[in-house]
Amino acid sequence: MNSLNPFHLAIPVNNLDKARSFYTNTLDFKEGRSDSHWVDYDFFGHQFVIHEDKSHLPNPDAFSIVDGHEVPVPHFGVVLEWDAFHEFANRLKQNKIEFVIEPYIRFKDKPGEQATMFFKDPSGNALEFKSFKDMNQVFAK
């Protein structure tokens, strides 16, 4: 794969204090700039921002079936290196994250085989982190 530039993603959270604690303490993301209504984070080398919107209420019933699992939609995340994925998953388990989908291998022995996991932040935003042993499988058919 080619070297990629960092992406920028900004999402709404309905309680900035709870979200900040989750991303800073539970997920251990490094804070960047912030203000009274938003916080920047280093999201595995990408710029991620939480913006307070007290009216934000994601649809908890929105999902799509993928590999036999109810995958929440919308969702976002990062493709991590194999070892980094497993280290992150172990840290989340130690921090007692409530998974929507526990870490597992999706599409086992098929094109696009990957490790994946899903969980939600305190505002109900769904996150997916995944990894491929072979990064050439990211766009495999």
Side-chain angles (χ1 to χ4, degrees), residues 115-132:
T116 187
M117 62 182 153
F118 288 82
F119 55 90
K120 293 184 179 181
D121 75 6
S123 296
N125 296 301
L127 291 86
E128 175 188 19
F129 291 87
K130 61 172 63 180
S131 183
F132 299 80

Side-chain angles (χ1 to χ4, degrees), residues 62-66 69-73:
F63 66 87
S64 178
I65 301 295
V66 179
H69 292 271
E70 292 182 356
V71 170
V73 290

Side-chain angles (χ1 to χ4, degrees), residues 27-121:
L27 299 188
D28 200 28
F29 291 169
K30 183 180 175 195
E31 285 191 30
R33 294 183 48 190
S34 65
D35 200 340
S36 60
H37 292 88
W38 57 267
V39 182
D40 277 350
Y41 286 98
D42 178 343
F43 190 70
F44 295 97
H46 302 283
Q47 186 186 39
F48 172 66
V49 187
I50 56 174
H51 287 272
E52 188 169 50
D53 173 0
K54 292 184 185 298
S55 68
H56 173 64
L57 295 172
N59 180 353
D61 300 322
F63 66 87
S64 178
I65 301 295
V66 179
D67 195 37
H69 292 271
E70 292 182 356
V71 170
V73 290
H75 62 265
F76 66 93
V78 176
V79 176
L80 300 172
E81 296 295 328
W82 191 258
D83 290 339
F85 172 90
H86 293 284
E87 289 169 13
F88 187 52
N90 287 334
R91 187 167 71 235
L92 295 175
K93 289 176 185 176
Q94 290 171 354
N95 286 334
K96 302 196 182 340
I97 285 288
E98 183 178 327
F99 290 98
V100 174
I101 299 174
E102 296 269 344
Y104 84 105
I105 303 300
R106 177 192 285 167
F107 309 132
K108 183 84 173 139
D109 299 322
K110 297 178 182 171
E113 180 178 313
Q114 60 196 258
T116 187
M117 62 182 153
F118 288 82
F119 55 90
K120 293 184 179 181
D121 75 6

